[in-house]
Amino acid sequence: MNPSPPELRRAIGLVQATAMVVGIMIGASIFVQPSEITGRVPSVPGVFAVWLVSGLLTFIGALVCAELASTFVRSGGVYIYLREAYSPAVGFLWGWAMFWSIHSGIIAAVSVIFARYASYFLPMSDISTKGLAVAAILVLSAVNYIGVKQGSAFQTLLTIGKATAILFIVVLGFGLGAGIPRHFAAGEVADHRVTGSNFLLALVAGLFAFGGWHMVTYNSEETVNPRKTIPRALMLGTLIVTACYLATNTVYMYVLPLGTVAASTRIAADVADALMGYGGGAFMSGVVMFSTLGCVSGLILCGPRVYYAMARDGLLFRWIGAVHPRFGTPHNAIILQALWSSLLVLTGTYRALFSRVVYTEWIFFALMTVGLFVLRRRKGITRDYRMWGYPVIPALFVFSSLGIVANQIISSPRESTFGLSLVLLGLPVYYLRARKAKEMRYAGH
């Protein structure tokens, strides 16, 4: 009798799952992205409106994922939900886009940001910057290779560290920045009108800063009591991040004039310089490095579980879905992800791939939410959690997601066409692979 193949190990509790949500969402964007938002919506009420709407949409998306996570407990998250609601082809396109561009591109991009901020402390050339980024990817992949318990524990430690740093920035900002409340005065930057299109573009920037909220669902088979733990982690995590983002933006606009916030390319460092003088930039560079490291760690932890699920369904080579007999991790998928992300860093191609494809993520989020309606009507499916506000709230999320996609296509038609074409390129690959898997099943009989 053949021994059963090794399985993934359950080692992620509520604290670790919540830390995963928070750690992935809080990367480098909150230290850079506010300037882009303020530049497009240059008023204090407008800026807060963008961040509140971004947080609200993210929370609604988290509620959708929470219900689906309480329904399907297999690893793979969005891939599983799309597969179950529609067909394996739709799920495959999500995984295809993830590996070749969206997920791997984020890993590469955030790793490069980590390395660039390290140059504040050490003189580095372009080659050494890329080398450090690759080293970060490989080291964090090795940590996750040796066990999900080690990977999630390290992720939790980094998340606690970055949350503490953000709290310190907020307290420091209101403490040392006392006496300058005039910076909260409402009013737009001169000669700049807020339009609906600009608000939507600012909203895209805000949602980018909230990105990654869904990734905890990828690890369902490694989560203790996933039907309850993952929904709670999604809701807790998004609320914590929304509070952190509102607090940091309040400090930015409390310490610096709105025009300065809009023009800054390193807003967090500029605030630190204004508060602390010499040494403020070094402090913020250290915070950004710590934050980006935690984000990369979470990304590396989550992604391979999708490729593992796809391989188990026969849509990728079986060896990609192999589980390490000792460590209980999808080790081949981790290695494959590390190699491709490192190659994107070394070639610099992640910039074009990621920037042109990332908007397509919201097409899949809309499909996933429509899938919730489909699955609600299907008999024989049980769930431990039903999202609040159904069907109005998820319908609002669908229309918002499609609005974001439409605005992106109108604003950047050439880049959008390229991104959508790259995703659809996965369809012929899927049908070739599905036919091969079918032939292998027949041969097995």
Side-chain angles (χ1 to χ4, degrees):
M1 184 176 179
N2 294 327
S4 59
E7 297 180 350
L8 300 175
R9 299 173 183 172
R10 296 194 185 275
I12 301 175
L14 179 59
V15 173
Q16 293 89 345
T18 305
M20 198 182 303
V21 175
V22 175
I24 292 174
M25 290 171 70
I26 302 179
S29 296
I30 189 56
F31 307 111
V32 180
Q33 213 78 343
S35 304
E36 184 174 344
I37 291 171
T38 308
R40 295 189 180 277
V41 188
S43 71
V44 172
V47 169
F48 278 119
V50 169
W51 286 106
L52 281 170
V53 172
S54 298
L56 178 61
L57 284 174
T58 301
F59 188 71
I60 294 172
L63 292 178
V64 172
C65 265
E67 176 166 332
L68 293 170
S70 76
T71 306
F72 304 104
V73 295
R74 288 187 63 189
S75 289
V78 178
Y79 160 72
I80 296 292
Y81 311 151
L82 293 172
R83 188 199 67 183
E84 294 294 331
Y86 304 105
S87 72
V90 181
F92 179 86
L93 288 181
W94 169 258
W96 168 271
M98 267 188 63
F99 179 77
W100 292 111
S101 56
I102 297 176
H103 198 83
S104 300
I106 295 175
I107 292 173
V110 179
S111 299
V112 169
I113 293 172
F114 164 78
R116 284 177 180 168
Y117 272 89
S119 65
Y120 193 96
F121 304 100
L122 297 170
M124 299 176 69
S125 64
D126 182 60
I127 294 175
S128 57
T129 298
K130 289 180 177 179
L132 181 58
V134 170
I137 292 172
L138 297 179
V139 169
L140 293 173
S141 296
V143 171
N144 284 282
Y145 184 100
I146 62 174
V148 68
K149 184 176 182 179
Q150 290 82 351
S152 61
F154 187 62
Q155 173 67 28
T156 302
L157 179 65
L158 291 173
T159 300
I160 292 172
K162 76 170 72 177
T164 303
I166 288 175
L167 179 62
F168 178 76
I169 292 169
V170 172
V171 173
L172 190 71
F174 284 114
L176 297 183
I180 49 174
R182 64 183 182 278
H183 293 158
F184 274 117
E188 297 180 354
V189 175
D191 301 323
H192 192 128
R193 290 187 176 183
V194 178
T195 64
S197 177
N198 275 337
F199 186 87
L200 282 176
L201 290 171
L203 189 62
V204 170
L207 290 169
F208 179 76
F210 278 94
W213 45 271
H214 59 285
M215 293 182 189
V216 69
T217 63
Y218 298 168
N219 297 75
S220 287
E221 291 177 42
E222 295 161 291
T223 303
V224 178
N225 194 8
R227 289 182 183 270
K228 296 186 181 298
T229 299
I230 291 179
R232 290 171 180 170
L234 281 164
M235 288 181 272
L236 281 172
T238 51
L239 289 174
I240 290 170
V241 172
T242 301
C244 287
Y245 284 2
L246 288 173
T248 50
N249 277 277
T250 301
V251 168
Y252 294 158
M253 293 185 291
Y254 182 70
V255 174
L256 297 176
L258 200 62
T260 303
V261 175
S264 175
T265 57
R266 48 169 216 144
I267 179 62
D270 286 344
V271 168
D273 285 338
L275 292 173
M276 304 167 64
Y278 180 77
F283 168 75
M284 280 311 308
S285 293
V287 170
V288 173
M289 287 180 65
F290 199 83
S291 182
T292 50
L293 199 66
C295 180
V296 175
S297 176
L299 292 166
I300 289 173
L301 172 64
C302 294
R305 276 64 187 178
V306 176
Y307 317 134
Y308 158 82
M310 294 171 69
R312 184 168 58 179
D313 290 341
L315 299 182
L316 296 177
F317 297 114
R318 289 288 183 183
W319 60 267
I320 295 177
V323 176
H324 196 284
R326 177 182 173 189
F327 301 129
T329 57
H331 57 297
N332 289 335
I334 293 173
I335 293 172
L336 198 63
Q337 175 183 261
L339 293 176
W340 179 240
S341 299
S342 298
L343 184 61
L344 291 178
V345 169
L346 295 174
T347 60
T349 51
Y350 68 88
R351 296 184 186 93
L353 284 173
F354 174 70
S355 61
R356 292 175 178 178
V357 178
V358 67
Y359 85 96
T360 61
E361 187 177 50
W362 286 90
I363 298 176
F364 288 105
F365 289 159
L367 286 172
M368 178 185 71
T369 308
V370 172
L372 179 67
F373 289 89
V374 174
L375 294 167
R376 278 277 189 117
R377 297 174 65 87
R378 192 173 297 173
K379 295 181 180 179
I381 294 179
T382 60
R383 53 186 61 81
D384 283 14
Y385 167 78
R386 288 179 176 266
M387 73 167 292
W388 172 83
Y390 180 90
V392 176
I393 298 300
L396 176 65
F397 185 78
V398 172
F399 288 120
S400 300
S401 300
L402 293 178
I404 291 166
V405 171
N407 191 67
Q408 181 67 26
I409 293 173
I410 294 169
S411 302
S412 307
R414 181 178 298 180
E415 288 80 2
S416 299
T417 301
F418 174 89
L420 190 57
S421 299
L422 183 62
V423 173
L424 293 177
L425 188 63
L427 273 178
V429 178
Y430 163 77
Y431 286 112
L432 287 171
R433 187 61 202 168
R435 186 174 65 180
K436 182 67 175 178
K438 187 176 181 180
E439 291 173 354
M440 290 178 67
R441 283 196 298 269
Y442 280 133
H445 289 312

